[in-house]
Protein backbone atom coordinates (compact mmCIF):
# COMPACT_ATOMS: atom_id res chain seq x y z
CA UNK A 1 0.00 0.00 0.00
CA UNK A 2 1.16 3.60 -0.47
CA UNK A 3 1.53 4.09 3.30
CA UNK A 4 4.26 1.43 3.33
CA UNK A 5 6.34 3.02 0.57
CA UNK A 6 7.85 6.45 0.98
CA UNK A 7 8.08 8.55 -2.17
CA UNK A 8 11.55 9.53 -3.38
CA UNK A 9 12.12 12.67 -5.47
CA UNK A 10 15.52 12.78 -7.18
CA UNK A 11 17.67 14.98 -9.40
CA UNK A 12 20.32 13.56 -11.76
CA UNK A 13 24.06 14.10 -11.97
CA UNK A 14 24.48 15.54 -15.47
CA UNK A 15 27.63 15.79 -17.60
CA UNK A 16 27.45 18.41 -20.33
CA UNK A 17 29.53 20.85 -22.37
CA UNK A 18 29.97 24.61 -22.26
CA UNK A 19 27.27 26.49 -24.17
CA UNK A 20 24.98 23.47 -24.25
CA UNK A 21 21.24 23.36 -23.60
CA UNK A 22 20.12 20.52 -21.36
CA UNK A 23 16.98 19.05 -19.86
CA UNK A 24 16.99 18.34 -16.13
CA UNK A 25 14.36 15.76 -15.12
CA UNK A 26 12.67 15.65 -11.72
CA UNK A 27 12.26 11.92 -11.11
CA UNK A 28 9.83 10.29 -8.68
CA UNK A 29 9.09 6.79 -7.45
CA UNK A 30 5.51 5.52 -7.56
CA UNK A 31 2.83 8.12 -6.81
CA UNK A 32 -0.12 5.77 -7.33
CA UNK A 33 -2.76 5.73 -4.61
CA UNK A 34 -1.66 8.89 -2.83
CA UNK A 35 -4.29 11.21 -4.32
CA UNK A 36 -1.73 13.81 -5.32
CA UNK A 37 -3.43 16.81 -6.98
CA UNK A 38 -0.65 19.37 -6.60
CA UNK A 39 3.03 19.81 -5.86
CA UNK A 40 5.44 22.69 -5.45
CA UNK A 41 9.17 22.95 -4.98
CA UNK A 42 12.19 25.23 -5.02
CA UNK A 43 15.35 24.11 -6.79
CA UNK A 44 18.49 26.06 -5.87
CA UNK A 45 21.81 26.17 -7.67
CA UNK A 46 25.08 28.04 -7.22
CA UNK A 47 24.73 31.66 -8.29
CA UNK A 48 25.72 34.46 -8.88
CA UNK A 49 28.77 32.45 -10.00
CA UNK A 50 26.69 29.63 -11.48
CA UNK A 51 27.34 28.10 -14.85
CA UNK A 52 23.58 27.65 -15.33
CA UNK A 53 20.52 29.67 -16.28
CA UNK A 54 16.98 28.28 -16.37
CA UNK A 55 14.06 28.98 -18.70
CA UNK A 56 10.77 30.17 -17.27
CA UNK A 57 8.85 27.22 -18.68
CA UNK A 58 9.24 23.44 -18.31
CA UNK A 59 10.33 21.34 -21.27
CA UNK A 60 7.47 18.96 -20.59
CA UNK A 61 4.98 18.28 -17.83
CA UNK A 62 6.27 14.70 -17.74
CA UNK A 63 4.62 11.37 -18.45
CA UNK A 64 2.82 11.26 -15.10
CA UNK A 65 0.63 14.29 -15.85
CA UNK A 66 -0.38 13.50 -19.41
CA UNK A 67 -4.02 12.64 -18.70
CA UNK A 68 -4.84 14.92 -15.79
CA UNK A 69 -5.20 18.37 -17.32
CA UNK A 70 -2.27 19.59 -15.25
CA UNK A 71 -1.01 23.17 -15.22
CA UNK A 72 2.63 23.97 -14.42
CA UNK A 73 4.05 27.39 -13.53
CA UNK A 74 7.80 28.11 -13.41
CA UNK A 75 9.40 31.19 -11.85
CA UNK A 76 13.08 31.59 -12.78
CA UNK A 77 13.51 35.29 -11.94
CA UNK A 78 15.45 34.81 -8.69
CA UNK A 79 19.25 34.74 -9.09
CA UNK A 80 19.85 31.38 -7.41
CA UNK A 81 16.65 29.38 -7.59
CA UNK A 82 13.77 28.08 -9.67
CA UNK A 83 10.28 27.84 -8.18
CA UNK A 84 7.72 25.45 -9.62
CA UNK A 85 4.05 24.96 -8.78
CA UNK A 86 1.66 22.50 -10.45
CA UNK A 87 -1.91 21.32 -9.99
CA UNK A 88 -4.37 19.12 -11.82
CA UNK A 89 -7.87 17.69 -11.87
CA UNK A 90 -6.78 14.04 -11.77
CA UNK A 91 -4.30 12.56 -9.26
CA UNK A 92 -0.81 11.55 -10.33
CA UNK A 93 -0.02 7.88 -10.72
CA UNK A 94 2.92 5.71 -11.69
CA UNK A 95 6.63 6.51 -11.49
CA UNK A 96 9.10 8.24 -13.76
CA UNK A 97 9.64 11.85 -14.81
CA UNK A 98 7.48 14.35 -12.94
CA UNK A 99 8.63 17.13 -15.25
CA UNK A 100 11.74 18.41 -17.03
CA UNK A 101 13.27 21.86 -16.73
CA UNK A 102 15.31 23.46 -19.51
CA UNK A 103 18.66 24.99 -18.58
CA UNK A 104 21.65 26.45 -20.42
CA UNK A 105 25.34 26.28 -19.59
CA UNK A 106 27.23 29.52 -20.18
CA UNK A 107 29.76 29.46 -23.03
CA UNK A 108 32.46 30.75 -20.70
CA UNK A 109 32.23 27.62 -18.54
CA UNK A 110 35.42 25.56 -18.36
CA UNK A 111 35.90 21.81 -18.09
CA UNK A 112 35.59 20.82 -14.44
CA UNK A 113 33.18 23.61 -13.51
CA UNK A 114 30.15 22.32 -11.64
CA UNK A 115 27.07 23.42 -9.75
CA UNK A 116 24.88 21.59 -7.29
CA UNK A 117 21.16 21.06 -7.83
CA UNK A 118 19.35 21.06 -4.50
CA UNK A 119 15.65 20.63 -3.73
CA UNK A 120 15.48 23.02 -0.78
CA UNK A 121 11.73 22.52 -0.45
CA UNK A 122 9.23 20.10 -1.96
CA UNK A 123 5.62 19.43 -1.01
CA UNK A 124 2.91 17.20 -2.42
CA UNK A 125 -0.61 18.54 -1.76
CA UNK A 126 -0.40 20.34 1.61
CA UNK A 127 2.67 18.43 2.78
CA UNK A 128 1.23 14.91 2.79
CA UNK A 129 2.43 12.37 1.70
CA UNK A 130 5.94 12.66 3.07
CA UNK A 131 8.91 11.97 0.83
CA UNK A 132 12.69 11.89 0.66
CA UNK A 133 14.86 13.83 -1.80
CA UNK A 134 18.12 13.11 -3.62
CA UNK A 135 20.08 16.12 -4.90
CA UNK A 136 22.01 16.25 -8.16
CA UNK A 137 24.62 18.27 -10.03
CA UNK A 138 25.74 19.60 -13.41
CA UNK A 139 29.42 19.22 -14.36
CA UNK A 140 31.08 20.65 -17.47
CA UNK A 141 33.22 18.27 -19.52
CA UNK A 142 35.41 19.13 -22.47
CA UNK A 143 33.60 18.36 -25.72
CA UNK A 144 35.57 15.97 -27.95
CA UNK A 145 33.83 16.33 -31.29
CA UNK A 146 32.85 12.96 -32.76
CA UNK A 147 33.88 10.92 -29.68
CA UNK A 148 30.54 9.15 -29.20
CA UNK A 149 31.87 6.49 -26.80
CA UNK A 150 33.83 9.06 -24.71
CA UNK A 151 37.08 7.13 -25.07
CA UNK A 152 39.12 10.29 -25.66
CA UNK A 153 39.70 9.71 -29.37
CA UNK A 154 37.60 9.50 -32.54
CA UNK A 155 37.54 6.05 -34.12
CA UNK A 156 35.47 4.01 -36.58
CA UNK A 157 33.56 2.61 -33.60
CA UNK A 158 32.25 6.11 -32.90
CA UNK A 159 30.77 6.23 -36.39
CA UNK A 160 29.06 2.88 -35.78
CA UNK A 161 27.52 4.19 -32.56
CA UNK A 162 26.31 7.34 -34.31
CA UNK A 163 24.69 5.25 -37.04
CA UNK A 164 23.05 3.03 -34.43
CA UNK A 165 21.73 6.07 -32.54
CA UNK A 166 20.41 7.71 -35.72
CA UNK A 167 18.59 4.52 -36.75
CA UNK A 168 17.01 4.15 -33.32
CA UNK A 169 18.23 0.59 -32.72
CA UNK A 170 17.64 -0.08 -29.02
CA UNK A 171 18.71 -3.71 -28.58
CA UNK A 172 21.82 -4.29 -26.45
CA UNK A 173 24.76 -4.47 -26.62
CA UNK A 174 26.20 -1.83 -26.67
CA UNK A 175 24.38 0.55 -24.35
CA UNK A 176 22.77 3.69 -25.83
CA UNK A 177 24.91 6.83 -25.90
CA UNK A 178 25.20 8.82 -22.70
CA UNK A 179 24.16 12.49 -22.60
CA UNK A 180 27.81 13.54 -23.04
CA UNK A 181 28.27 10.99 -25.82
CA UNK A 182 25.36 12.55 -27.71
CA UNK A 183 26.91 16.00 -27.32
CA UNK A 184 30.20 14.72 -28.73
CA UNK A 185 28.39 12.90 -31.55
CA UNK A 186 26.46 16.03 -32.57
CA UNK A 187 29.14 17.27 -34.98
CA UNK A 188 26.83 19.90 -36.48
CA UNK A 189 25.91 21.19 -33.02
CA UNK A 190 22.27 21.32 -34.11
CA UNK A 191 20.90 19.17 -31.29
CA UNK A 192 20.72 15.99 -33.39
CA UNK A 193 22.82 12.85 -33.73
CA UNK A 194 22.91 12.13 -37.46
CA UNK A 195 24.63 9.59 -39.65
CA UNK A 196 26.27 12.25 -41.83
CA UNK A 197 26.89 15.75 -40.53
CA UNK A 198 26.58 18.80 -42.76
CA UNK A 199 29.73 20.32 -41.30
CA UNK A 200 32.91 18.87 -39.91
CA UNK A 201 34.06 19.30 -36.33
CA UNK A 202 36.93 21.42 -37.54
CA UNK A 203 34.56 23.80 -39.31
CA UNK A 204 32.41 24.23 -36.22
CA UNK A 205 35.15 24.68 -33.61
Amino acid sequence: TPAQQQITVSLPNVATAAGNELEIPINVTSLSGWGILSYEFTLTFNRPDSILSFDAAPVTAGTLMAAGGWSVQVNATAPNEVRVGAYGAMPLFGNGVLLKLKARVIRAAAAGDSTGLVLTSFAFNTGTPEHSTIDGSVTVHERVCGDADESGSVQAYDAALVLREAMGVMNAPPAPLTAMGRINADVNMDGKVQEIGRASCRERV
Side-chain angles (χ1 to χ4, degrees):
T1 63
Q4 296 173 328
Q5 300 175 3
Q6 187 179 52
I7 298 170
T8 300
V9 183
S10 62
L11 290 162
N13 294 314
V14 180
T16 188
N20 190 51
E21 290 188 355
L22 63 153
E23 298 176 0
I24 297 177
I26 311 294
N27 301 301
V28 292
T29 55
S30 181
L31 302 181
S32 300
W34 288 106
I36 294 173
L37 295 174
S38 70
Y39 66 84
E40 56 187 285
F41 66 86
T42 300
L43 185 156
T44 60
F45 52 100
N46 302 331
R47 282 194 65 171
D49 299 323
S50 178
I51 58 173
L52 288 181
S53 63
F54 281 83
D55 282 1
V59 176
T60 172
T63 56
L64 305 184
M65 294 186 278
W70 277 69
S71 176
V72 180
Q73 300 294 322
V74 180
N75 185 332
T77 58
N80 65 337
E81 66 183 26
V82 179
R83 295 184 177 182
V84 177
Y87 59 90
M90 299 293 291
L92 298 177
F93 62 91
N95 63 286
V97 179
L98 188 61
L99 82 163
K100 295 179 182 178
L101 297 172
K102 180 179 286 186
R104 292 183 177 86
V105 179
I106 62 173
R107 292 193 176 276
D113 287 349
S114 65
T115 182
L117 301 173
V118 181
L119 291 169
T120 55
S121 66
F122 198 110
F124 291 111
N125 294 339
T126 59
T128 303
E130 296 182 355
H131 63 280
S132 62
T133 59
I134 299 174
D135 297 327
S137 64
V138 174
T139 303
V140 177
H141 290 198
E142 182 177 357
R143 181 175 183 267
V144 181
C145 189
D147 182 20
D149 67 348
E150 302 176 72
S151 65
S153 61
V154 179
Q155 303 167 309
Y157 184 61
D158 295 305
L161 292 180
V162 169
L163 176 60
R164 183 175 184 273
E165 185 81 6
M167 292 177 63
V169 180
M170 298 303 294
N171 58 304
L177 297 182
T178 66
M180 194 67 210
R182 290 188 181 90
I183 292 170
N184 289 343
D186 179 15
V187 297
N188 291 335
M189 297 179 71
D190 62 358
K192 302 176 182 177
V193 176
Q194 304 177 68
E195 179 183 354
I196 300 175
R198 292 187 295 274
S200 70
C201 294
R202 183 173 297 177
E203 290 170 337
R204 298 292 299 188
V205 173

